[in-house]
Amino acid sequence: MIKKLSIPRETTSIVFLILLFVSVGSINSSFLTFNNIMLNLNSSVIYAVVAIGIAFVIITGEIDVSVGATLGLTAAVCGSMVRDGNVTMGIIYAIVFGLSIGLFNGIGVTVLRIPSIIMTLGTNGIVRGLIYVYTNGKWVENIPLKFKAFSQERIFGAFTWFYLAVIMVMIISYFLMTRSRVGRYFKAVGDNPNGANLLGIPVNGTKLFAFALSGLFASIGGIMYVSRVGFITPMAGSGYEMKVIAACVLGGISLNGGVGSLIGATVGAAIMASISRVLVFLGFPSNYDNTITGILLILVVVFDAVLQAGSAEKMRRQRLAAKIMHIKTTVPEVLVNE
Amino acid sequence: MNSIPSLKKTVFRWETFLIILLLFEVIVFGYINPKFLIPRVFFGSINNFMTICIVSLFVTFVLITGGIDIQSGSIVGLTSIFIGVLWKDAGINLYVACFLGLALGAICGALSGFFVAFTGVQPMVVTLGGSFLYSGMALMITNFSSTESYKGINGFPKEFTQFVKGRIFNIIPNQLVIFLVLVIIAYFILHKTTYGRKVFLCGVNKNAATYSGIKTKLIIMSTYMLAGLGASLAGILLTAYLGTAKTDLGKEITLPVITAVVLGGTSNLGGTGGVIGTALAALVIGILRFGLSMADVGTQYLDIPVGILLVFAVAFRFAGSNPHIRKYSQKLERALPFKKALTK
C-alpha cells in the first residue's frame, strides 16, 4: 500500500503523454515521427519555463496569476532593447523586471498578508497596463534575425538550445528540491505552514523566494518569447497564466500545496502544447483547442481527487483496523476483567 | 483590546468607506472634466460597466462559501453567441432563445459547482477548466453559424435592443434600473432568506454546517449555478446593448469582477461579505474607469488603477489581522499611557 502511494504523481502524467502520442500516432502515423515529437516538445518550451517558475509558488500553497503579464512586459522590454542592438542589456533588464515583479508579489503576500490570488490578480492588471505605458500600445517588431534564429537552432537535430536549457534547469532544480535542505522547505511550507514554522523553517522567506523565482522564470520565458515569436503585441502572454496553471495541474501538482514536482510541470507543459497539434493531426478544427483543454483539465483533476479520496479512506480504515487489532492483542485481560 | 470587532460594525464601516470613495471620485472627476457631471452622461456611464456589476453581484455568493469563480467571463461570451446562433441560424424566437441562454448559463455554472462540491477539487482549478471549456464551446458554436465568428451576429430586432438602450425620462438608463432590481433580489436572497444564512454558514465552517443538517454540497453547487445564471443574464444584456453576439464578450472581466467582490468587503476565504458592498464596489470601479477615460486616460491603462486599488484595499482590510502591523500598534499603545486611562 505504501509502495503504491509512493509512486510519484508525475509518472501518471508521463504515461498519459506517451499514451496520447501513441494513440494519435496509431490514427495518423505521421504524428509519431522523431521530428514531430521533437517539434511538439520544443514548442512547449515557453510554457515549460513559466510552469517551472509557477510550480515553486504552487508547491508552497500559493498561486501566481501575474506570470502572463510579467512575461509580456519582460518580452516587451527585452524585445525593444534587442531591436536597438543591446542584447545583453535587454536580457539583464528583463530579468531585473521579472525578479522585481516577483518580489513585489511576494512582499504583498508575506508582509501585507494579502491572499495570493488577489495580490497577483492586482499585479496582473498593473503590469498589463505598464506594458501599454512602455510600448505606447505599439508592437515591438524588427527583432534581428540572428536573435530569432537562435530559437530554431537544434542540437543533433533534436532539442533546441532553449529546450536543452529547460531540461538542465529542470534536472538541477529537481535535485535541489529533493536533495537539498532549502529545496525541501518549499514542500514543507506548502504541506503545513504552521508545522513548518514550528520546525524553524522561514515560511515567509520561502514564499518570498518562490514568488521571486516565479517572476524570474516568467522573465526568462519572456526572453524566449522574443526569440521564438519575433514580435510583441501589448497583449503578449495574456492567457499564459491560465495555461501554465493548467499545465501544472496536469503534471500532478496539487493547488493545495505540498504535492508535485518540477518534472510534472514540464510534462504538463508538453501535454498542453501538444493538444492543439494533436487536433490538427486528427483533422479537427483547431478552435476545439480550448474545449479539449477544459475537458481534459476537469477530468484529470476530478479523477485524481476521487482516487486520492479513495486511498485516504482506505488508509483510514486500515489504521483503524490496525488499532483495533492492537487493542485486541495487547490488552485482552483488561477487557475481560472489566 | 478587542481584536475582533462585531461583524455588523465592520460591514457598516466598510460600506460607508465605499460611499465616501464613490463621492470622492465623483467630485474629483467632476472637477477634472465638468461634462462628467451632466446627469445624462453620469447615469449613462453604467452602460459601460453593467456586465461587471451584474456578474460580481452573483460571484459574491461563491466567494462567501469560500470558493472562487473565474469562469463567468466565458459564460458571458457563450450565452451571447448561443442566443445569436439560436435566433439567426436556428430561427428560434429571440425571447425563447434568451430563456434557453439563461438555462445554459445555469447548467454551465451547475456543472462546475457539481465538480467543486461533490469531488472536493479546488474551485480555482475547476473554474479554470470551466473557463477553457465554455470559451471553447462558444467557439465551437460559431461553427454552426453562417456568419464569420470575428464579425459577430448582428441585426437583432429593435425592441430587443431598445429596451436595454432606453432611458427613463431620457436620463436614467434602463440598465441602472435593472441593476438596482438585481441588487434588491440578490440582497433579499443572501441576507433575508434561510438559503442565504446557509450560504454564509458554509463559508464560516463547512463541517459545522454539515453537522447541523445543511446539505452543504447542494448549497455550494447552487452558488455556482447562481453565478452562471448571473453571467448569462449579463451576457444577454450586453448582447442587446451592443447589438452584436460575439464569442469574446466578457473576456476581460475576471480581474474587475474579483476586484469588485473583494473590494466590496467579501473575504475570499469565505464567511463574510455582502451584496451591498459588492454593488458599491462595482460602481466605484466602474466610475473610476469611466472617469479616467473621460479625463483623457487611454482605456488600455485602466487596469493599472484598478489593480492598485485592489491591492491597497485588501492590504488595508487585512491590516487588522496582520501581526507585523499589530506589533507596531501594540507598541504604540504601550507608548501612549493616556489612552489606557481613557479606555478605563
Side-chain angles (χ1 to χ4, degrees):
Chain A
M1 186 65 212
I2 292 165
K3 211 174 180 185
K4 213 175 178 182
L5 272 179
S6 67
I7 292 174
R9 286 163 61 98
E10 60 266 20
T11 338
T12 336
S13 355
I14 294 173
V15 169
F16 181 80
L17 184 65
I18 292 170
L19 270 181
L20 183 78
F21 274 57
V22 169
S23 55
V24 175
S26 67
I27 296 169
N28 186 342
S29 57
S30 57
F31 188 79
L32 219 52
T33 58
F34 177 75
N35 198 22
N36 187 56
I37 292 172
M38 284 306 147
L39 259 179
N40 260 323
L41 291 180
N42 285 331
S43 67
S44 76
V45 63
I46 299 175
Y47 287 144
V49 169
V50 186
I52 288 176
I54 206 175
F56 285 105
V57 176
I58 296 178
I59 288 173
T60 55
E62 303 286 345
I63 191 107
D64 186 350
V65 293
S66 70
V67 285
T70 310
L71 187 144
L73 181 66
T74 51
V77 169
C78 174
S80 62
M81 288 189 176
V82 167
R83 182 191 55 198
D84 302 337
N86 268 331
V87 177
T88 17
M89 285 315 279
I91 291 172
I92 290 171
Y93 267 98
I95 287 176
V96 167
F97 269 90
L99 263 180
S100 37
I101 294 167
L103 282 174
F104 178 68
N105 281 331
I107 289 169
V109 171
T110 55
V111 180
L112 297 176
R113 296 291 167 105
I114 303 171
S116 53
I117 171 102
I118 291 164
M119 180 70 204
T120 51
L121 206 59
T123 318
N124 187 41
I126 297 170
V127 175
R128 180 61 63 195
L130 286 179
I131 300 173
Y132 283 99
V133 173
Y134 183 80
T135 62
N136 272 327
K138 291 189 190 105
W139 289 27
V140 178
E141 286 172 302
N142 301 329
I143 308 292
L145 273 178
K146 213 174 160 192
F147 195 77
K148 279 200 274 191
F150 190 66
S151 65
Q152 306 300 333
E153 232 171 81
R154 292 200 195 179
I155 304 133
F156 312 128
F159 295 119
T160 55
W161 284 106
F162 285 165
Y163 205 77
L164 208 64
V166 167
I167 292 174
M168 293 296 288
V169 168
M170 184 185 84
I171 292 170
I172 292 169
S173 40
Y174 178 78
F175 278 108
L176 281 181
M177 275 191 81
T178 48
R179 299 281 187 274
S180 83
R181 198 182 164 81
V182 178
R184 298 183 75 113
Y185 284 179
F186 289 105
K187 274 194 179 178
V189 168
D191 192 41
N192 186 348
N194 293 334
N197 193 22
L198 289 177
L199 284 174
I201 294 172
V203 174
N204 278 351
T206 310
K207 283 186 178 172
L208 193 64
F209 190 42
F211 274 103
L213 280 175
S214 170
L216 173 71
F217 277 94
S219 67
I220 295 174
I223 297 166
M224 289 181 174
Y225 188 95
V226 176
S227 176
R228 276 189 70 86
V229 180
F231 60 90
I232 299 110
T233 69
M235 288 310 286
S238 81
Y240 266 63
E241 61 275 10
M242 296 303 160
K243 294 233 162 172
V244 167
I245 294 170
C248 282
V249 172
L250 287 177
I253 298 174
S254 162
L255 282 193
N256 285 335
V259 177
S261 80
L262 301 175
I263 294 179
T266 322
V267 174
I271 296 175
M272 283 299 289
S274 301
I275 289 171
S276 50
R277 295 182 68 86
V278 163
L279 287 176
V280 174
F281 274 88
L282 292 180
F284 285 112
S286 61
N287 59 9
Y288 284 25
D289 191 358
N290 274 345
T291 320
I292 306 285
T293 311
I295 292 173
L296 198 65
L297 187 62
I298 292 178
L299 276 185
V300 165
V301 174
V302 166
F303 186 67
D304 186 57
V306 171
L307 266 186
Q308 291 277 318
S311 73
E313 179 69 21
K314 218 172 176 181
M315 289 277 281
R316 207 178 59 85
R317 289 223 174 120
Q318 273 183 349
R319 272 208 306 274
L320 195 69
K323 243 183 208 168
I324 291 167
M325 286 290 287
H326 181 73
I327 292 168
K328 270 185 187 164
T329 48
T330 51
V331 282
E333 306 92 278
V334 181
L335 287 174
V336 169
N337 288 345
E338 278 179 355
Chain B
M1 205 179 116
N2 64 334
S3 53
I4 307 162
S6 73
L7 188 73
K8 204 175 169 186
K9 222 172 169 181
T10 334
V11 168
F12 180 69
R13 244 197 262 147
W14 187 251
E15 280 156 7
T16 326
F17 171 71
L18 285 176
I19 291 173
I20 293 168
L21 201 63
L22 203 59
L23 289 176
F24 176 72
E25 279 179 356
V26 171
I27 292 166
V28 169
F29 292 130
Y31 180 74
I32 295 173
N33 190 346
K35 271 187 199 157
F36 179 77
L37 289 179
I38 299 170
R40 208 183 137 79
V41 176
F42 180 70
F43 286 116
S45 68
I46 191 162
N47 288 330
N48 297 332
F49 51 87
M50 181 69 177
T51 319
I52 297 169
C53 291
I54 295 178
V55 173
S56 58
L57 271 188
F58 292 97
V59 170
T60 310
F61 284 71
V62 175
L63 264 86
I64 286 175
T65 62
I68 195 158
D69 187 343
I70 52 174
Q71 65 185 5
S72 305
S74 56
I75 294 183
V76 171
L78 176 61
T79 314
S80 172
I81 197 73
F82 183 66
I83 57 172
V85 169
L86 277 189
W87 172 72
K88 190 133 192 175
D89 296 286
I92 293 173
N93 181 301
L94 186 55
Y95 297 98
V96 177
C98 285
F99 182 74
L100 290 175
L102 284 177
L104 180 72
I107 290 170
C108 289
L111 185 70
S112 298
F114 171 78
F115 286 127
V116 171
F118 285 88
T119 62
V121 185
Q122 303 94 329
M124 172 89 192
V125 186
V126 174
T127 51
L128 174 66
S131 72
F132 280 123
L133 178 59
Y134 303 139
S135 60
M137 269 165 65
L139 282 174
M140 277 169 82
I141 287 174
T142 54
N143 289 351
F144 300 113
S145 166
S146 53
T147 334
E148 297 287 333
S149 61
Y150 65 90
K151 274 184 195 158
I153 295 166
N154 299 311
F156 286 103
K158 212 171 178 196
E159 65 268 18
F160 179 59
T161 54
Q162 212 54 47
F163 172 68
V164 178
K165 279 184 187 166
R167 287 164 187 255
I168 297 170
F169 307 128
N170 227 356
I171 291 175
I172 299 170
N174 286 349
Q175 294 222 49
L176 186 61
V177 180
I178 297 172
F179 177 55
L180 290 179
V181 170
L182 283 173
V183 170
I184 292 167
I185 292 173
Y187 178 80
F188 184 76
I189 295 175
L190 188 59
H191 298 281
K192 297 289 170 199
T193 60
T194 39
Y195 170 76
R197 301 309 303 167
K198 286 174 184 171
V199 169
F200 270 105
L201 191 55
C202 283
V204 175
N205 190 338
K206 200 179 149 199
N207 288 337
T210 314
Y211 290 134
S212 50
I214 295 170
K215 292 196 172 75
T216 40
K217 289 179 176 174
L218 281 181
I219 298 282
I220 288 175
M221 185 175 148
S222 69
T223 57
Y224 286 89
M225 203 179 90
L226 266 180
L229 200 62
S232 59
L233 182 63
I236 292 170
L237 290 174
L238 191 63
T239 309
Y241 180 69
L242 297 175
T244 51
K246 278 171 102 174
T247 53
D248 57 354
L249 294 182
K251 208 178 172 187
E252 312 264 297
I253 65 167
T254 310
L255 171 68
V257 163
I258 302 289
T259 312
V261 177
V262 174
L263 189 64
T266 302
S267 156
N268 73 321
L269 304 171
T272 56
V275 166
I276 304 294
T278 302
L280 283 172
L283 290 178
V284 166
I285 293 166
I287 288 181
L288 178 71
R289 292 176 75 101
F290 179 70
L292 281 175
S293 64
M294 282 208 54
D296 283 338
V297 178
T299 43
Q300 303 99 325
Y301 306 138
L302 295 182
D303 275 348
I304 302 180
V306 174
I308 292 174
L309 189 67
L310 175 66
V311 170
F312 271 87
V314 178
F316 185 61
R317 272 190 72 80
F318 279 76
S321 60
N322 190 334
H324 298 278
I325 293 170
R326 214 186 239 174
K327 208 164 62 191
Y328 288 112
S329 70
Q330 277 172 356
K331 260 186 200 166
L332 202 70
E333 217 154 275
R334 257 179 249 129
L336 300 170
F338 65 89
K339 204 177 171 189
K340 261 183 197 165
L342 273 180
T343 45
K344 269 176 192 172

